[in-house]
């Protein structure tokens, strides 16, 4: 049985940004990085929904 891998936030952000660019298909990115395409879609969705928090005033958010 395979062991679950924990990816760091930098890796997730890098892969999600590549998916957002749309230069390559998600299946190609999944094969290159060894990640399931569903995970890439989830990271991409998280990036889109959380992007507005970067520009909030008042410093960092919790």
């Amino acid at each position: 049985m395979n062991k679950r891998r924990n990816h760091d936030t930098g890796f997730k952000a890098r892969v999600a940004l590549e998916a957002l660019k749309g230069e390559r298909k998600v299946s190609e990115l999944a094969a290159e990085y060894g990640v399931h395409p569903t995970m890439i879609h989830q990271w991409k969705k998280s990036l889109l929904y959380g992007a507005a928090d970067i520009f909030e005033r008042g410093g960092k958010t919790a």
Side-chain angles (χ1 to χ4, degrees):
M1 186 184 322
N2 291 339
K3 182 181 175 191
R4 283 188 171 190
R5 294 186 314 202
N6 292 326
H7 301 286
D8 65 340
T9 55
F11 176 78
K12 291 177 183 180
R14 187 170 52 250
V15 175
L17 282 171
E18 277 197 58
L20 277 175
K21 287 180 187 177
E23 295 173 357
R24 293 189 289 170
K25 296 179 182 179
V26 172
S27 59
E28 293 173 352
L29 293 173
E32 179 180 337
Y33 291 109
V35 179
H36 198 276
T38 302
M39 293 305 301
I40 296 177
H41 285 294
Q42 288 177 354
W43 297 341
K44 182 178 166 183
K45 187 188 301 186
S46 295
L47 179 64
L48 287 172
Y49 287 130
D53 295 339
I54 296 170
F55 299 106
E56 280 189 10
R57 292 187 177 255
K60 294 184 176 182
T61 58

